[in-house]
Amino acid sequence: MPTAEEEADQVLDGGEAVADARTIPVQRMRPGDHAFSAYDGGQGRWEVLAAFVRQGLLTGEKVLVLLDPQPPAEELLWRLHARTPAVQRAWETGQLKFTSMRALLHPERDFTIEGQWRGIAEETQLALRQGYRALRTYADMGWIAELGADLEAVLRREHSSAHLFAGRPYSEVCAYDRQFFSADILGRLARAHPRNLLGDLGSLHAVHGIGTGARRSVRLVGEADVTTSVEFMGALRTALTPSERAEAARKRRTGTVLEVIKDTELARAEDVTVDLTSLHFISVGCAAGLLRLCAQSSNVAIRCTPFQARLLLRLGADSVRSVALAVEEVE
Amino acid sequence: MLTNERLCRRYFTSRDLPRLRIEVEECAAWAGLNEPRRGEFVVAVDAVATNAVEHAGGTGRLLLRHVGAELECQVEDSGPGFTEDVIPELAPGVAGASSGRGLWLARLVTDRLTVERVAGTGPGAVVTLAVRLPESG
């Protein structure tokens, strides 16, 4: 597989992060992750936020949602479609808390890197004392304008906050509204974060590359279901079919799929790695489609989680002689 | 109104499936269903919901309930109706017809799956799938 750096070099296009090694679906956020997210107007932003909240509640984390200005809680619960018993209970007990950057920085009135770090450290310690596994924060970066903060200082903060995350019970999504930040700034911000979130819930990205030796690879990121099955199967065909790969090499980019295949690397059609470990979800239809394509190819290694392996085996993976499952634990 | 027994109720189209999966997973966890069965239940519900949007009218209605010792999901569609006969008895196999594969897998990983006509004279089918919950405490 390509290294993170090799893929990262390919990813920033007009300031917009597209799929690379650091890209994950929001459901894959774990303690220690520090992620960039960019959104346009509309419901997409709320769906990503809702997924972030629910995943945190599911794993026993405390969840802070920082919005400046802060809308009424009732409106937020409505926007998050959060009228399920679990979310309602979390809000009532304080496991889910709506607040603002202004409140986090209090009693300081202005943003300073040190003041913000101090606020996060205090909230993290509080969450642990309250018995939660970790703290996760979704910060809408509208607070930069709201507090009149210096953007360069924010960039320095994003670059220099590793100590908050590495091995620590804290994760954070920094969400930027595209209408208020230039493409250049968004590009710099995306590079400052170790993780970039897929922009939309339910989306799928594919990264094609050359792995160890002459082995080709395709890494699927996000969710493979009935709404993304065309992209999913297209990415697989590109990886598994020599003529498709040649075409892909000529186009550097097609639609939502970023192609990083090199013209000189079109040989060895028979050696392909399909990496499913960055998929949060794969449907029965997509899993069956993958096996059907693999049955027409030769020597395909499928990197997958134990859960995915079980699904593939139930669908007959062990009857496809050209397929080998490489099972990896992914938290 | 949602309660501890009636956990989730919503209409859906294909665009709603990602959010639907999240809510089903959350409610399954709330009801006490642990991994890996929880993930399998989500895959099964997705397969049934996908069947509704692909083959049975494009929309569906999901109701998730905690009933006794079971977590039960009903998916109602507005298609022409179908019976359990469309579900293959044996594993379809990699090269086999794709028809019914999702429902076959859903039946395999759950404890109960039934298909009935929508009550009354209207079109549509109701697929009910359920899993037993682990005993608490």
Side-chain angles (χ1 to χ4, degrees):
Chain A
M1 301 294 290
T3 65
E5 291 72 23
E6 286 167 347
E7 286 190 351
D9 287 343
Q10 308 283 337
V11 300
L12 294 165
D13 176 19
E16 181 178 356
V18 290
D20 76 335
R22 73 181 76 185
T23 302
I24 58 171
V26 64
Q27 298 97 326
R28 281 291 173 85
M29 284 290 293
R30 297 292 183 267
D33 283 338
H34 179 204
F36 167 90
S37 176
Y39 64 87
D40 298 308
Q43 185 59 22
R45 164 216 193 176
W46 298 106
E47 292 194 343
V48 169
L49 171 54
F52 177 77
V53 167
R54 290 184 142 103
Q55 193 69 33
L57 301 182
L58 202 59
T59 52
E61 299 174 42
K62 185 174 181 179
V63 184
L64 293 189
V65 178
L66 276 59
L67 300 173
D68 296 82
Q70 190 185 355
E74 286 298 319
E75 180 187 332
L76 282 171
L77 288 169
W78 175 77
R79 284 192 176 278
L80 299 179
H81 301 280
R83 290 302 186 188
T84 54
V87 178
Q88 195 69 30
R89 164 80 70 84
W91 182 57
E92 290 165 2
T93 61
Q95 184 181 6
L96 169 61
K97 186 176 168 187
F98 301 130
T99 182
S100 64
M101 186 59 72
R102 190 181 292 281
L104 185 78
L105 295 172
H106 183 78
E108 293 181 23
R109 294 179 59 85
D110 299 320
F111 165 73
T112 62
I113 296 175
E114 295 74 18
Q116 193 191 56
W117 284 348
R118 192 161 49 243
I120 289 169
E122 288 171 2
E123 288 288 350
T124 304
Q125 287 306 313
L126 176 61
L128 295 177
R129 282 201 305 276
Q130 290 171 329
Y132 299 109
R133 171 181 179 234
L135 174 71
R136 60 169 50 198
T137 296
Y138 179 100
D140 188 292
M141 303 305 277
W143 66 263
I144 298 173
E146 188 73 13
L147 300 184
D150 174 29
L151 191 54
E152 290 301 324
V154 174
L155 267 162
R156 283 199 301 279
R157 183 274 183 195
E158 303 289 36
H159 270 295
S160 59
S161 298
H163 63 284
L164 291 176
F165 299 97
R168 302 274 304 142
Y170 179 64
S171 62
E172 179 181 287
V173 171
C174 304
Y176 292 84
D177 187 338
R178 284 199 181 91
Q179 67 177 317
F180 297 124
F181 298 91
S182 70
D184 175 58
I185 289 294
L186 288 174
R188 293 172 64 194
L189 288 163
R191 281 189 291 270
H193 291 75
R195 300 285 194 191
N196 286 185
L197 297 189
L198 285 179
D200 295 308
L201 195 66
S203 59
L204 176 80
H205 284 265
V207 181
H208 294 266
I210 306 300
T212 53
R215 202 168 187 95
R216 318 192 153 280
S217 66
V218 58
R219 187 170 69 89
L220 288 313
V221 184
E223 296 174 66
D225 69 359
V226 66
T227 60
T228 57
S229 62
V230 171
E231 292 97 325
F232 181 76
M233 295 304 290
L236 292 175
R237 285 193 189 94
T238 297
L240 296 172
T241 312
S243 60
E244 294 278 344
R245 286 206 303 272
E247 180 63 18
R250 283 190 286 275
K251 302 174 182 176
R252 294 296 289 178
R253 184 179 174 191
T254 57
T256 60
V257 179
L258 180 70
E259 309 291 357
V260 293
I261 294 173
K262 296 170 184 169
D263 291 322
T264 55
E265 296 163 333
L266 293 174
R268 302 293 300 273
E270 65 276 17
D271 292 337
V272 181
T273 297
V274 176
D275 184 356
L276 305 180
T277 59
S278 298
L279 276 184
H280 173 68
F281 181 80
I282 181 168
S283 68
V284 176
C286 286
L290 164 62
L291 293 177
R292 203 163 46 246
L293 275 183
C294 288
Q296 299 160 12
S297 307
S298 56
N299 197 9
V300 182
I302 300 177
R303 293 179 65 195
C304 57
T305 66
F307 185 86
Q308 292 165 342
R310 192 145 74 158
L311 176 62
L312 291 167
L313 288 168
R314 281 180 157 144
L315 293 172
D318 52 354
S319 69
V320 183
R321 297 176 64 183
S322 55
V323 164
L325 301 183
V327 183
E328 298 176 16
E329 287 286 352
V330 176
E331 190 195 355
Chain B
M1 181 178 172
L2 298 174
T3 64
N4 282 349
E5 288 74 38
R6 195 152 90 172
L7 302 170
C8 178
R9 185 180 63 169
R10 70 164 50 251
Y11 289 91
F12 62 87
T13 65
S14 60
R15 290 186 58 221
D16 300 313
L17 292 179
R19 196 169 67 208
L20 197 72
R21 292 193 292 265
I22 288 171
E23 292 191 12
V24 169
E25 182 176 17
E26 173 195 300
C27 293
W30 175 262
L33 189 64
N34 301 317
E35 293 289 7
R37 291 215 81 197
R38 186 166 74 224
E40 291 181 336
F41 186 69
V42 173
V43 169
V45 171
D46 177 81
V48 174
T50 296
N51 187 68
V53 297
E54 275 200 311
H55 307 297
T59 63
R61 189 177 69 167
L62 178 141
L63 174 62
L64 190 62
R65 298 189 301 168
H66 184 170
V67 183
E70 282 189 336
L71 179 65
E72 181 190 270
C73 180
Q74 288 188 335
V75 175
E76 181 179 325
D77 64 52
S78 54
F82 64 99
T83 69
E84 290 175 35
D85 293 344
V86 303
I87 307 175
E89 282 295 321
L90 302 174
V94 171
S98 60
S99 173
R101 192 191 304 270
L103 293 172
W104 171 83
L105 194 283
R107 187 166 65 183
L108 180 72
V109 301
T110 56
D111 296 312
R112 177 164 60 89
L113 187 148
T114 59
V115 182
E116 297 169 293
R117 293 190 66 83
V118 170
T121 56
V126 181
V127 179
T128 303
L129 57 164
V131 288
R132 278 190 298 278
L133 295 166
E135 292 182 19
S136 57

